[in-house]
Amino acid sequence: MFRYYLRLGILSIRANPALSALMVAAIGIGIGACMTIVTIQYIMSGNPIPEKSDQLFHVRVDSWDPAEPYDEPNEPPEQLTYLDATALHAAGRANRQVISFLSSRVVQPAGEDSKPFQTQSRATTADFFAMFNVPFAHGSGWDKSADDTQERVVVIGQALNEQLFGGENSVGELLTLSGEPYRIVGVLDEWSPVPLFYDLNNNEYNDPAALFLPFSVAVAGEHGSAGNTNCWKPIEDGGVEAFRNSECIWIQMWAELPGEAEKAAYLQFLDAYVEEQKLVGRFPRPLNNRLDNVEEWMDINEVVDEDVSVLLGLAILFLIVCLLNTVGLLLAKVMKRTKDISLRRALGASKATLFAQYIVEASMIGLAGGVLGIGLTWLGLRGIENLFSIFEFVQKLVVMDWVMVLAAVALAIVSALAAALYPTWRACSVTPAAQLRIQ
Amino acid sequence: MLQMNNVSKIYRTDTVETHALREFSLKVEEGEFVSVTGPSGSGKTTFLNIAGLLEDLSSGTYELDGRDISKLNDRERSKVRNEKIGFIFQSFNLIPELNIFDNVDVPLRYRGFKAPERRKRIEESLELVGLASRLEHMPAQLSGGQQQRVAIARALAGEPRFLLADEPTGNLDTNMADSVMDLLGEINSTGTTIIMVTHELTLATRANRNIFVRDGSVSDGPGDLQLAAVAG
Amino acid sequence: MELGPIWRAILRNKSSYALIALQIAVTMAIMVNAIAIIQERATQMARPSGTDEDNIITLTSVAFVPDADMRTMIDEDLALLRGMPGVRDAIATNSFPLRSGGWSMSLSTEPGPNSDGIGTAIYFSDEHAIETFGTNLVAGENFAADEITWNNREVSTWPATGILTRALAEELFPEETGSLVGKTVFINENDPVKIVGIVDRLQAPWNGWERVENSMLVPSRRDGEFQRYVIRTEPGMRDEMIPRIEAALAANKDRIIENVRSMTEVRERSYTGDSAMITMLTFIVSLLTVITGLGIVGLASFSVSRRTRQIGVRRALGATRPEIMRYFMIENFLISSVGIITGGILAVALNIYMVQEFALTPLAWYVVPIAMVILWLVGQAAVAGPARRASGISPSIATRSI
Ligand SMILES: Nc1ncnc2c1ncn2[C@@H]1O[C@H](COP(=O)(O)OP(=O)(O)OP(=O)(O)O)[C@@H](O)[C@H]1O
Ligand SMILES: [Mg+2]
């Protein structure tokens, strides 16, 4: 019987090739537009470290201006002062803790004719690699002792190792960065979390820095922050020292806290720390310390670009228009065939057979629309890649994985069935007699 | 009133040419009631279509009220149909999505009458066919005979001088057919010229004159004889 | 003419007409809001940066030799650049308009920590800045060469003079009608800055900033290892100067030169998101209009073929061809109107939501009527084909019953 319906469906589709093509195109285009934006949104809001995103907490303490909050309504600043970052890190109250900031170095490759180039570097502390599950191809991160002794060690990314050492194990080699020699202790494997959750203040779709080096070394070498520096209080006279003692915020901190109890305890510790600082005249605002896990922190920072949300809303409306279009055309087809249907009913067709017949026809159109939709999604992503071609990070946002392919097919079939439901119901409710009455 | 000389009508399809009318000549005077009979496929409907300006003729001449029809353009023909000619179709041809009132209204709208005038005419003509109480009904809610009477009302509402009917009783039972024939008789008595195609001889006899069509031409064959026999 | 019967016939077949009306309504809602966003972005992109964009080259110089003598390096570089034929002027600065990175400070008219400040971008440079950017000094005067000082990141004593954009000066002194040159403002809470000049326009580096027209030129240069050079060439010589400048600066091997870009390119990068948004929305709206148009064509074709007989009857009853055509045009007009009016309400509601949710500029009054006219025309154009086909149906259909 199913094959009979298939044949009827094909006949009916072939009987109106232009209209059938229009329906397939409408579903396909609607799905394509929707899935293009959904894919980008899916990647933008993806969980970059699902295995422990609920154990990693971004640390904020409210050291800001008594006159106004850092951000409305009462958000503490997203970064820490040098004083607080180093003190909280030294206290070591979490299982692991990391302080870091983004900077840049000029890499001077060995050899006379090789050209120096600038690249991003992250100044951070020893726990960084274990805490964020950073994969190593060779070697490892550095010990806490390297932080303490300001040892010039560096971990380099896969791409940089490829560029400088042709992908060989370069652990132990010396690398000159802005005139200073560093010893390579580790080379990363392929690693590019999207979004770059541990630093959402700078471009959240950037690649990780190519260089990781000890925080203490960067501070001693006066590496300037490439990220934002915000101050609410004028810096006292006195150069670098004054800047470090200022209320300017420029350092990010994360803590690893495996459970609720640890989190509560750490929050208590932060509160106690702030109370203590209040005694020496710092932290003029009321107690307002925050610990946010990776997904909460991504929400707060609105990692999904507002434009994407707007486009997603419009794309969904777009799909609705395409579906209304299909419903309208299917319905028109039914209406045109009411005489035929009532004749069939008079000849003994049951509602169930009519239902099966129309649903099979609609599913075929839906399936065709879905396949077209996948193709158009791919095209749409290429289009977006093209629009943003000057920004390398866009490459990461326009990849279609199998989840999205399945989602596109599912969306297409669900859409087509939804579109078919009403016309099919109308077809089934045609009475055997009524339509034959008017000639 | 109507004069056809040597009219022929050829339908061409890819494979065949059908001579639906050939050398068809006929003259109908004002106020006549003419019935048209003939075997199936002989060209009766074709004749009616041409007489009613629904179709072009292939050759010959056709004058209606002294005007050569072939000289009229589409607009003028529409106007003639609208003002002078009333149609009653075998299959009623009411517009299913309009109620009775709006159905009768259709030709009056094209005529350009004002609303009160239209209302008056619609009500009068539906009164005439005995359906004045059904203004709001949809065609699907009426019986076949009632639908046919609405169709007659629609044909009469514009007070045409020329009424063309293609088997107006073909879909009706004998009683119904009789009352429709009575109605046509009445209309004819007010001076309206009627040409009616039918294949029921009893009905044909109610006309003043019968023409018999065979193979696309008027023939004075058995038609008149039979009529004479019935009449006699 | 026959609005009444057409409308009643539509009501008989509500569901299929309601669908097309709804489709038009949603199309309208999308179209109106997309146009509103496009308009907003286009307005933003059209704002001039206040610089001679066609003739400006920017680049970054990064020194990497420890303890390099930055001041000498900068002076030498600038002397070299300014001396090149084809170069009109050049400066070293911390940032420039459209760069999307820079330094902002707060200015106020009263000293002290509690006065309300007005945010402004700071450009550290020298007396060549006005000429290099190509902005116009509209009041007061330029810095004198001997006024220029050096500073570094931990600057704590501010130069006592500044040149402000007109927008900034007017925001600081909204009541003042006379000249603002000579007035004093306070930076870093207590440091006085005297306004010595006012330029008509020089945007801050961040194009999305609400105070993008606020910037201040400061007669002091920073001696950090990161330097941004802005070079203005003689008209029309920009592109040929780029390789020459790169070659000239390459002689000094103690630093690297990066990001050599024309100001046009800087602008493109700065507005990539906006121009992409405009492209995508234009694309979506056009596609949508085409789909809705084709949907109308499809439905009208169905409607015509379903009514073939009825059309024949109408013709037999005296309808002329134009009258048949008009029937379908009017029918479409009525349905479209329902959709367009519903869509207008939907569009405004959606816009109010987006204004709240995404801080969009509210709709300009004329967008809704424009979208209405567009959709009416699309509907009429779409129905014209099927309507023309309908008008060609022969009246003899009426007697040739099937
Ligand atoms: N549109 C057409 N194309 C081709 N041939 C046609 C067309 N219309 C009518 N004919 C042919 O013309 C001839 C006359 O047809 P017509 O309808 O006039 O017959 P009729 O006398 O009305 O028959 P009946 O009594 O069965 O209604 C027939 O042979 C028919 O097949
Ligand atoms: Mg016939």
Side-chain angles (χ1 to χ4, degrees), chain A residues 16 19 22 25-26 29 37 67 104-106 108 116-118 178-180 222-225 232-240 243 306-307 309-311 314 317-318 320-322 324-325 327-329 331-333 335-336 339 384 387-388 390-391 422 426 439, chain C residues 13 15-16 19 22-23 26-27 29-30 33-34 37 41 60 62-66 114 153-154 156-157 188-189 225-226 256 258 268-269 272-273 275-277 279-281 284 287-288 291-292 294-296 298-299 301-302 305-306 309 350 354 357-359 402:
Chain A
N16 286 303
L19 281 161
L22 179 57
I29 290 172
I37 309 295
S104 76
R105 294 287 88 190
V106 171
Q108 297 163 262
F117 57 91
Q118 193 189 191
S178 298
E180 293 164 334
E222 295 180 27
H223 301 181
S225 168
W232 61 270
K233 203 176 180 180
I235 307 166
E236 313 280 320
D237 282 339
V240 180
F243 179 70
E306 219 165 60
D307 280 357
S309 309
V310 170
L311 284 173
L314 293 183
L317 287 177
F318 188 118
I320 290 177
V321 171
C322 293
L324 285 172
N325 193 58
V327 179
L329 293 175
L331 188 65
K333 239 172 152 178
M335 305 278 269
K336 198 181 153 196
K339 234 183 198 164
I384 287 180
L387 286 178
F388 288 94
I390 57 168
F391 296 119
Y422 179 66
R426 283 290 295 265
Q439 297 264 337
Chain C
N13 259 322
S15 52
S16 48
L19 278 169
L22 197 59
Q23 185 181 346
V26 182
T27 303
I30 299 178
N33 284 283
I37 297 174
R41 302 299 169 94
T60 309
V62 189
F64 56 86
V65 176
N114 293 323
R153 181 167 55 146
E154 289 77 24
S156 43
T157 38
N188 213 11
E189 294 187 355
E225 60 267 39
F226 280 89
I256 51 177
E258 285 190 334
E268 271 168 24
R269 295 177 72 91
T272 302
S275 74
M277 192 75 173
T279 312
M280 287 188 277
L281 289 174
I284 285 185
L287 208 57
L288 192 63
I291 287 185
T292 301
L294 287 180
I296 295 174
L299 287 177
S301 307
F302 265 129
S305 64
R306 194 163 58 89
R309 187 177 177 85
L350 183 62
M354 297 224 292
E357 199 69 2
F358 302 109
I402 347 107

Side-chain angles (χ1 to χ4, degrees), chain A residues 166-208:
Chain A
E168 298 292 309
N169 184 351
S170 58
V171 170
E173 303 272 350
L174 283 185
L175 184 61
T176 311
L177 301 176
S178 298
E180 293 164 334
Y182 285 74
R183 184 166 52 83
I184 298 176
V185 292
V187 176
L188 298 190
D189 210 342
E190 159 114 50
W191 185 58
S192 181
V194 182
L196 196 62
F197 64 96
Y198 60 81
D199 183 4
L200 300 180
N201 303 133
N202 297 299
N203 184 346
E204 54 267 53
Y205 305 109
N206 269 344
D207 282 323

Side-chain angles (χ1 to χ4, degrees), chain B residues 11 45-46 49 54-55 74-75 78 81-82 87 89 91 93 95 97-98 102 106-107 109-110 138 154, chain C residues 1-2 5 8-9 12 307 309-310 313-321 323 395-396 398-401:
Chain B
Y11 290 111
T45 301
T46 306
N49 277 353
L54 300 184
E55 267 177 76
D74 186 77
R75 240 187 69 105
S78 299
R81 281 200 295 271
N82 186 239
F87 279 103
F89 307 97
S91 50
N93 276 339
I95 295 173
E97 61 213 49
L98 297 181
D102 284 335
V106 170
R109 292 264 181 179
Y110 295 129
M138 299 305 291
R154 183 173 67 184
Chain C
M1 47 172 275
E2 41 178 345
R8 284 195 288 277
R12 293 258 135 223
R307 291 195 225 174
R309 187 177 177 85
Q310 156 181 171
V313 172
R314 284 178 186 274
R315 290 280 281 140
L317 294 176
T320 59
R321 285 198 185 129
E323 273 165 340
S396 64
T399 49
R400 303 286 178 204
S401 44

Side-chain angles (χ1 to χ4, degrees), chain B residues 122-176:
Chain B
I122 294 166
E123 280 166 359
E124 274 172 12
S125 58
L126 282 170
E127 187 78 46
L128 189 69
V129 298
L131 286 170
S133 58
R134 304 277 194 138
L135 296 184
E136 298 293 329
H137 279 65
M138 299 305 291
Q141 296 166 324
L142 299 181
S143 75
Q146 288 167 332
Q147 289 184 40
Q148 186 61 304
R149 281 189 280 156
V150 175
I152 294 172
R154 183 173 67 184
L156 295 179
E159 291 180 353
R161 293 192 17 245
F162 192 26
L163 195 61
L164 299 174
D166 194 356
E167 310 211 18
T169 59
N171 280 309
L172 306 179
D173 68 26
T174 338
N175 279 343
M176 214 37 131

